[in-house]
Amino acid sequence: MKRTFQLDEIQEVATELLEKAPNKVLCLYGGMGVGKTTLVKALVKQLGAVDVANSPTFGLVNEYFDKNDVPLAYHFDFYRLNDEMEALDMGFEDYLNSDAWVFIEWPDKISSLLPEDAVGVFLHFIEESTRSIELNVP
């Protein structure tokens, strides 16, 4: 999957991404402000979560559930992480072993902890309302 899109097409992009991803661990790469959290919001909405997604920058992880309180997705933002031990201490490996989707912002901060089959999702700024997305399947 590789495409350029307008920000108002983010729900379509989220649907396509969920359909084309070969597994449920998505590593989101891109600079500050490129739209990683915006994409996660759209993904969580597509999955049918009862809550609206937001950035877990200070808490490191947000959990999203369906109407039956079943976990749908875990959203990590490791921007403020100092070292990989912090991720291990919070039980990161347990999240990876769940059946829920795992969305990871700033995955380069925990590169040695990522599963080999994690999917790279690369976002690029084109102009104010235009982005490109590329899926990198291992």
Side-chain angles (χ1 to χ4, degrees):
M1 171 183 170
K2 185 175 184 176
R3 70 178 275 192
T4 300
F5 65 96
Q6 301 298 308
L7 291 179
D8 63 2
E9 298 173 306
I10 195 76
Q11 286 304 138
E12 295 168 30
V13 171
T15 300
E16 186 177 349
L17 183 55
L18 291 170
E19 290 171 355
K20 294 193 175 183
N23 67 59
K24 294 182 173 184
V25 178
L26 303 182
C27 296
L28 305 168
Y29 296 90
M32 188 75 71
V34 76
K36 296 180 297 293
T37 300
T38 301
L39 178 58
V40 171
K41 287 179 183 183
L43 291 165
V44 167
K45 183 177 179 180
Q46 282 304 119
L47 291 172
V50 294
D51 294 319
V52 175
N54 55 41
S55 178
T57 299
F58 296 102
L60 295 182
V61 64
N62 284 345
E63 301 177 351
Y64 300 101
F65 300 88
D66 68 11
K67 63 182 177 184
N68 298 315
D69 211 30
V70 174
L72 290 173
Y74 301 110
H75 175 199
F76 293 89
D77 184 335
F78 289 128
Y79 180 74
R80 298 191 187 286
L81 198 72
N82 292 316
D83 64 56
E84 291 181 341
M85 276 311 289
E86 288 180 61
L88 290 174
D89 289 345
M90 69 181 289
F92 179 70
E93 291 173 321
D94 294 331
Y95 289 102
L96 290 176
N97 291 321
S98 75
D99 284 334
W101 286 83
V102 178
F103 307 127
I104 306 168
E105 294 188 49
W106 305 101
D108 49 311
K109 297 268 193 158
I110 58 154
S111 56
S112 74
L113 302 178
L114 296 173
E116 288 182 18
D117 62 349
V119 177
V121 178
F122 296 85
L123 291 165
H124 301 282
F125 183 90
I126 305 297
E127 56 186 42
E128 193 58 40
S129 63
T130 307
R131 304 293 188 271
S132 70
I133 186 169
E134 184 175 349
L135 198 64
N136 185 4
V137 180

